[in-house]
């Protein structure tokens, strides 16, 4: 009996289990997302470029000598061309001469800065902010709510299920956030993947990118079928984000609680930042590495220009195609940039969110 009582008493409790309003939590999360999106956007651009190149997209790298215009799906047949920097088409894939292809994360950084300018590393930042702020503003407060409710329930009814609460709460919260804001995610991916053909030329913004997705041919009228294009790749997005959240929170929650309990009974702002940043970095990096193939599939579906093919593609078919074309290397294209982005991103968001909650909690107590 004593052992059972001890188990109930030692049940994990939320880090800052105060009664903050949803709006305050959403504001904390939105601020965290803003900072994170600006800092890690260059790595997001690099990751998307590498994945688009692996998909055989011809508007990547330095192949910009008329092979592809970003507002057209027509490829000029330059089969057999061996001139440096000129695209050549092999079957259905378009490739550049060896020295023109991206060779890795650092090479993408160098080539984007040299060929397109330093500011292009922040291409799609407006879409990232339009995406990250509301997404995280929904995601983090919902996670808190579901976690607290589920932990109270399992603590009373079935303590053995409590360790699985972060996994389930993260999955539900992420699904809600992802479905709500998905068209902006589609715009961001397209904006980052499509390379401008001339330096200094302004590329389409979020709204124009979404309009082009619905009406790729100027003057064509919109209908219900066209608007379905705004949700192209949603299945792949959920297939990536749901496992990512499940893995991430399964690692993050127990890790940060262990660090905080090791630091002492009464958490301070410094210990909250340290514990959440460390746990978030590790959890984000591990989850990103584990779900990289699903991220590659999501990117490939979102940048698909053939409307019929885009509508009919499934995540399973896309993964099989990636494996056929590139094997294991194709499945993990852009993995370095993805892991390098996800670790700091999760760390910044979670630590900022929790320390602002801590500050608001103490402000309400005064």
């Amino acid at each position: 009996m004593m052992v059972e009582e001890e188990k109930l008493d030692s049940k994990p409790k939320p880090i800052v289990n105060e009664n903050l309003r949803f709006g305050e939590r959403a504001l904390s999360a939105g601020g965290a997302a803003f900072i994170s999106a600006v800092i890690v956007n260059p790595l997001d651009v690099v990751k998307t470029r590498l994945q688009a190149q692996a998909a055989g997209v011809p508007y990547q790298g330095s192949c910009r000598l008329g092979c592809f215009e970003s507002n057209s799906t027509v490829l000029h047949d330059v089969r057999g061309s061996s001139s440096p920097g000129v695209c050549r088409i092999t079957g259905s894939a378009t490739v550049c001469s060896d020295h023109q292809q991206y060779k890795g994360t650092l090479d993408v950084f160098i080539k984007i800065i040299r060929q397109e300018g330093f500011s292009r590393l922040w291409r799609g930042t407006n879409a990232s902010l339009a995406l990250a702020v509301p997404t995280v503003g929904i995601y983090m407060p919902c996670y808190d709510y579901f976690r607290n409710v589920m932990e109270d329930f399992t603590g009373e009814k079935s303590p053995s299920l409590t360790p699985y609460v972060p996994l389930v709460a993260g999955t539900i919260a992420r699904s809600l956030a992802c479905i709500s804001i998905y068209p902006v995610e589609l715009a961001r991916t397209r904006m980052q993947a499509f390379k401008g053909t001339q330096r200094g030329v302004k590329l389409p913004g979020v709204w124009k990118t979404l309009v082009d997705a619905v009406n790729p041919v100027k003057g064509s009228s919109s209908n219900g079928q066209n608007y379905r294009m705004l949700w192209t790749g949603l299945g792949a997005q959920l297939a990536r984000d749901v496992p990512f959240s499940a893995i991430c929170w399964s690692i993050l929650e127990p890790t940060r609680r262990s660090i905080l309990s090791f630091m002492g009974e009464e958490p301070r702002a410094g210990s909250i930042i340290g514990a959440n940043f460390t746990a978030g970095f590790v959890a984000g990096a591990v989850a990103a590495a584990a779900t990289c193939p699903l991220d590659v599939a999501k990117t490939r579906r979102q940048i698909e220009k053939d409307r019929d093919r885009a509508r009919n593609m499934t995540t399973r078919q896309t993964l099989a195609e990636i494996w056929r074309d590139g094997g294991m290397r194709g499945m993990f294209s852009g993995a370095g940039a993805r892991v390098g982005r996800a670790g700091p991103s999760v760390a910044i968001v979670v630590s900022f969110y929790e320390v602002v909650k801590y500050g608001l909690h103490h402000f309400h107590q005064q």
Side-chain angles (χ1 to χ4, degrees):
M1 188 72 180
M2 289 287 288
V3 176
E4 211 169 302
E5 283 178 13
E6 281 174 18
K7 276 185 183 174
L8 285 172
D9 290 339
S10 63
K11 146 180 114 67
K13 292 182 176 60
I15 304 301
V16 185
N17 192 19
E18 73 295 321
N19 292 318
L20 290 180
R21 292 188 294 271
F22 187 91
E24 292 174 316
R25 293 174 187 267
L27 186 64
S28 306
F34 181 91
I35 294 169
S36 174
V38 172
I39 292 173
V40 304
N41 196 78
L43 282 165
D44 212 22
V45 172
V46 170
K47 177 212 71 165
T48 305
R49 291 287 181 93
L50 286 168
Q51 291 177 352
Q53 177 179 270
V57 176
Y59 39 83
Q60 299 307 115
S62 295
C63 297
R64 50 184 180 156
L65 304 179
C67 294
F68 182 86
E69 292 298 329
S70 62
N71 61 349
S72 169
T73 56
V74 178
L75 296 177
H76 301 289
D77 190 354
V78 288
R79 222 179 244 101
S81 170
S82 56
S83 307
V86 177
C87 298
R88 65 184 184 277
I89 299 177
T90 309
S92 61
T94 305
V95 295
C96 305
S97 56
D98 246 11
H99 68 285
Q100 299 292 353
Q101 283 192 308
Y102 295 137
K103 296 179 178 68
T105 302
L106 186 60
D107 189 49
V108 182
F109 273 116
I110 293 168
K111 284 179 177 171
I112 288 175
I113 292 169
R114 281 182 184 168
Q115 297 164 8
E116 303 174 58
F118 187 73
S119 64
R120 281 292 158 86
L121 289 171
W122 276 269
R123 169 75 177 148
T125 301
N126 55 345
S128 292
L129 292 173
L131 173 72
V133 172
T135 299
V136 179
I138 295 168
Y139 178 38
M140 298 297 287
C142 284
Y143 170 76
D144 273 356
Y145 173 78
F146 290 129
R147 181 199 61 196
N148 293 349
V149 169
M150 289 180 191
E151 283 187 346
D152 288 343
F153 179 80
T154 56
E156 292 174 14
K157 306 289 184 183
S158 182
S160 62
L161 295 177
T162 301
Y164 302 103
V165 164
L167 184 153
V168 178
T171 295
I172 298 171
R174 188 66 193 181
S175 298
L176 288 173
C178 180
I179 293 168
S180 303
I181 316 294
Y182 183 76
V184 184
E185 165 67 25
L186 177 69
R188 183 189 66 154
T189 302
R190 289 192 170 210
M191 288 170 72
Q192 290 175 342
F194 297 174
K195 177 181 174 179
T197 55
Q198 294 175 6
R199 185 192 284 256
V201 174
K202 189 175 180 183
L203 295 175
V206 179
W207 179 252
K208 180 68 166 59
T209 302
L210 290 174
V211 170
D212 287 346
V214 174
N215 293 311
V217 180
K218 287 181 182 178
S220 64
S221 59
S222 303
N223 56 41
Q225 277 293 89
N226 287 1
Y227 283 110
R228 280 181 57 196
M229 293 299 296
L230 295 177
W231 304 93
T232 300
L234 175 61
Q237 177 87 5
L238 288 170
R240 181 201 70 171
D241 281 9
V242 169
F244 178 91
S245 289
I247 295 167
C248 185
W249 287 112
S250 297
I251 296 170
L252 194 155
E253 199 69 66
T255 303
R256 69 176 174 184
R257 282 173 169 161
S258 298
I259 294 171
L260 283 170
S261 63
F262 177 76
M263 286 179 169
E265 195 64 38
E266 192 60 43
R268 304 281 176 194
S271 61
I272 287 173
I273 291 173
N276 282 282
F277 193 92
T278 304
F281 194 99
V282 172
V286 171
T291 57
C292 189
L294 295 166
D295 186 58
V296 176
K298 184 236 18 159
T299 300
R300 184 170 290 203
R301 290 187 66 186
Q302 287 180 328
I303 63 176
E304 176 58 54
K305 302 291 283 184
D306 186 319
R307 294 166 62 78
D308 292 331
R309 180 172 154 77
R311 274 198 292 261
N312 296 325
M313 285 170 78
T314 66
T315 302
R316 186 177 174 181
Q317 289 171 341
T318 308
L319 286 169
E321 185 180 281
I322 293 165
W323 178 263
R324 188 188 66 236
D325 293 345
M328 189 63 73
R329 187 173 179 178
M331 297 288 268
F332 285 88
S333 59
R338 174 166 163 76
V339 171
R341 173 199 176 281
S345 178
V346 174
I348 292 166
V349 167
V350 175
S351 55
F352 185 92
Y353 176 65
E354 291 296 337
V355 81
V356 171
K357 277 170 54 184
Y358 174 84
L360 288 171
H361 174 62
H362 281 270
F363 175 78
H364 287 313
Q365 283 187 330
Q366 289 175 0

